[in-house]
Amino acid sequence: MTNITNTKISNKFIPRTHSHTKSRIKHIVNKIKHTNKNTNNTKTIIPNTITNNKFQTTDFKVYKQKYFNTLLETKSQEHITNTNTNTNTNQYNNQSNNQYIIVIPSYNRPELIQKKTLALLNKHNIDSTLINIFVSDKEQYDLYKDKIPSSLYNNLIIGVKGLKNQRNYINNYYPEGYHIVQMDDDIDKIVQLVSKRKSSRKSSRKSSRKSSRKTSRKTSRNSSRKSSIYKSLISIEDLDTFIKKAFNKCKTNGIFLWGVYPLANAYFMTDTTTTDLRFIVGPMFGIINRHRPDLQLTLDEKENSERTLQHWVIDKKVLRFNNIGIETNYYKNKGGMQNDGKDRKAEALKSVIYLHNKYPSITKIHLGKKSGVPEIKLLSF
């Protein structure tokens, strides 16, 4: 083994004296700690004998060799990062610049995804380099690669089969802090609410005839006013700006999950943005990515409810834009989870029972939908 005292670092030879060696090791350990804070490198484990300043003479040669080598490797990695050859690091740095990615998990729907979600994103001028499609296996990869023009997306990535498994895979695939918009492959339209207030003024003729001129004027001024709010839906005006706004609101308010109204229905939608416990629907949502065991999904059916509850328990806030909605055919399009051959209503019932047992104080089981699909209601206080 090469004698560490003959190793040259930054044009300075390592001192041979015991006291100088102790000082030099402390300096390098601090440097390693500082470097790890500013890079995406795996953290270096530093023995307590060094960090606690308890130096033992018999261990010096081992420590010197190990940490001088580590420093050289760290410096080399710093050089790689600074010369912009580390793709993952660069993507992460770009994300800090108000950037995001769109991820679409899809299964056996190469034609549908083109007709629906990819066409929608193209219509709203979303840069295709932001769009990644996740498929389950090599067979699906070849199918999508053959049928979808590469100009419509950035990467086609092989993940795993099953919705919850794929969502977890996506979560682990990207670094923490990434701004990720997940979208289903069958979204028809993203809409926004437009509310217009109109008022009509009615004077009481009978009252004015019986009253004096003074009273008549007063009655005229205070004549009954009836205001009506006319609500309608239009296609979202600027999807890119909306997504960036959503993530900025999350960062400002310490929120890690945002979503939209689950339907495109002007009657029920409102011009509000809420942070209380409300359902964040699965076809379109955004997360600031975190690698936490308690954010791993365990359900295929009702995975969107599970994700909402997980984030609420951790953060006590989820962000929902009640003036933005989506048009999609829940449970109807071929492919996707429909290909599993399972009774989805029976699976949904198992899921709502599981979620209610896990979160009894903030959920309620609802079995009264016309569709017959069991639901879990979230209780906001």
Side-chain angles (χ1 to χ4, degrees):
M1 183 165 67
T2 306
N3 190 338
I4 197 67
T5 58
N6 292 327
T7 303
K8 193 173 183 180
I9 300 178
S10 302
N11 298 320
K12 293 181 181 179
F13 284 97
I14 305 305
R16 295 175 179 271
T17 64
H18 185 79
S19 60
H20 286 172
T21 303
K22 287 165 54 177
S23 173
R24 183 65 175 157
I25 289 177
K26 289 180 187 177
H27 172 69
I28 290 168
V29 168
N30 290 332
K31 215 165 187 180
I32 292 169
K33 286 181 178 178
H34 176 73
T35 302
N36 283 332
K37 283 182 180 179
N38 294 287
T39 66
N40 290 328
N41 299 335
T42 304
K43 289 185 178 178
T44 306
I45 299 173
I46 302 172
N48 291 333
T49 49
I50 289 184
T51 56
N52 293 338
N53 296 325
K54 296 177 181 178
F55 294 95
Q56 299 177 17
T57 307
T58 55
D59 294 331
F60 270 121
K61 289 184 179 179
V62 177
Y63 290 158
K64 283 192 296 181
Q65 182 67 54
K66 180 176 179 180
Y67 287 102
F68 288 138
N69 288 346
T70 303
L71 179 61
L72 290 171
E73 291 171 8
T74 304
K75 285 295 182 185
S76 174
Q77 187 60 40
E78 274 186 318
H79 175 72
I80 292 172
T81 302
N82 291 336
T83 53
N84 293 327
T85 59
N86 189 323
T87 305
N88 289 334
T89 302
N90 289 333
Q91 287 178 348
Y92 184 81
N93 290 337
N94 288 339
Q95 283 250 312
S96 64
N97 254 332
N98 207 20
Q99 192 55 277
Y100 61 88
I101 55 169
I102 293 177
V103 172
I104 309 171
S106 186
Y107 182 75
N108 221 31
R109 288 175 168 176
E111 290 89 4
L112 189 68
I113 191 175
Q114 289 182 74
K115 182 181 175 183
K116 304 275 187 177
T117 303
L118 290 178
L120 176 68
L121 294 172
N122 184 58
K123 173 187 172 183
H124 288 287
N125 300 313
I126 298 298
D127 189 343
S128 63
T129 61
L130 301 176
I131 303 168
N132 293 332
I133 302 171
F134 279 74
V135 295
S136 61
D137 52 44
K138 183 64 166 61
E139 182 182 351
Q140 289 288 304
Y141 177 90
D142 293 337
L143 179 66
Y144 278 64
K145 192 79 172 173
D146 181 57
K147 294 194 174 184
I148 303 177
S150 59
S151 60
L152 295 178
Y153 63 91
N154 182 38
N155 286 319
L156 186 60
I157 301 162
I158 298 176
V160 291
K161 189 174 181 180
L163 184 58
K164 76 169 186 298
N165 298 332
Q166 192 73 291
R167 300 275 201 211
N168 291 335
Y169 184 89
I170 290 166
N171 174 265
N172 294 321
Y173 184 87
Y174 293 104
E176 288 197 325
Y178 250 52
H179 294 178
I180 304 172
V181 180
Q182 287 206 43
M183 299 179 73
D184 280 3
D185 55 13
D186 57 353
I187 299 178
D188 292 303
K189 191 183 288 187
I190 302 171
V191 297
Q192 69 182 57
L193 180 68
V194 176
S195 300
K196 293 182 179 178
R197 185 180 294 274
K198 291 186 178 181
S199 60
S200 61
R201 183 170 176 171
K202 293 185 179 180
S203 301
S204 176
R205 293 178 182 176
K206 185 177 180 181
S207 175
S208 62
R209 284 197 303 267
K210 290 183 177 181
S211 305
S212 65
R213 181 176 294 180
K214 183 176 179 181
T215 307
S216 179
R217 287 175 183 169
K218 185 176 179 181
T219 304
S220 179
R221 285 195 301 269
N222 296 320
S223 59
S224 61
R225 291 175 178 265
K226 290 188 178 180
S227 343
S228 299
I229 297 177
Y230 294 89
K231 299 196 293 187
S232 61
L233 297 177
I234 63 171
S235 182
I236 190 168
E237 292 177 338
D238 191 334
L239 181 58
D240 176 71
T241 298
F242 165 70
I243 292 172
K244 290 175 179 175
K245 170 188 170 184
F247 280 117
N248 284 334
K249 270 186 170 289
C250 282
K251 289 193 291 185
T252 301
N253 295 283
I255 301 173
F256 290 81
L257 174 68
W258 64 261
V260 299
Y261 198 78
L263 302 171
N265 189 319
Y267 182 80
F268 294 106
M269 294 168 69
T270 59
D271 284 312
T272 60
T273 303
T274 51
T275 60
D276 56 351
L277 178 55
R278 302 200 188 197
F279 177 49
I280 305 299
V281 71
M284 179 180 171
F285 64 92
I287 60 168
I288 299 177
N289 201 31
R290 290 181 288 183
H291 296 166
R292 292 181 57 134
D294 48 357
L295 289 175
Q296 292 290 292
L297 298 170
T298 63
L299 302 172
D300 280 320
E301 288 291 347
K302 307 303 173 191
E303 50 86 25
N304 42 19
S305 296
E306 183 179 26
R307 177 173 47 256
T308 304
L309 289 163
Q310 287 173 336
H311 280 79
W312 172 259
V313 168
I314 295 170
D315 305 316
K316 296 297 182 286
K317 287 182 282 189
V318 293
L319 181 66
R320 196 172 86 174
F321 296 86
N322 300 306
N323 63 330
I324 305 294
I326 52 171
E327 287 186 7
T328 187
N329 290 319
Y330 292 100
Y331 299 102
K332 293 180 181 178
N333 289 322
K334 292 182 179 179
M337 288 183 64
Q338 312 290 351
N339 271 21
D340 289 345
K342 295 179 180 178
D343 183 341
R344 295 192 67 181
K345 290 182 182 179
E347 292 300 312
L349 181 58
K350 293 177 188 176
S351 295
V352 298
I353 291 172
Y354 167 82
L355 289 172
H356 180 60
N357 288 337
K358 188 171 182 179
Y359 305 101
S361 63
I362 53 175
T363 62
K364 185 171 77 171
I365 295 175
H366 176 57
L367 303 176
K369 287 191 71 175
K370 288 182 180 180
S371 64
V373 178
E375 293 293 349
I376 189 84
K377 283 197 169 185
L378 310 184
L379 307 178
S380 185
F381 300 98

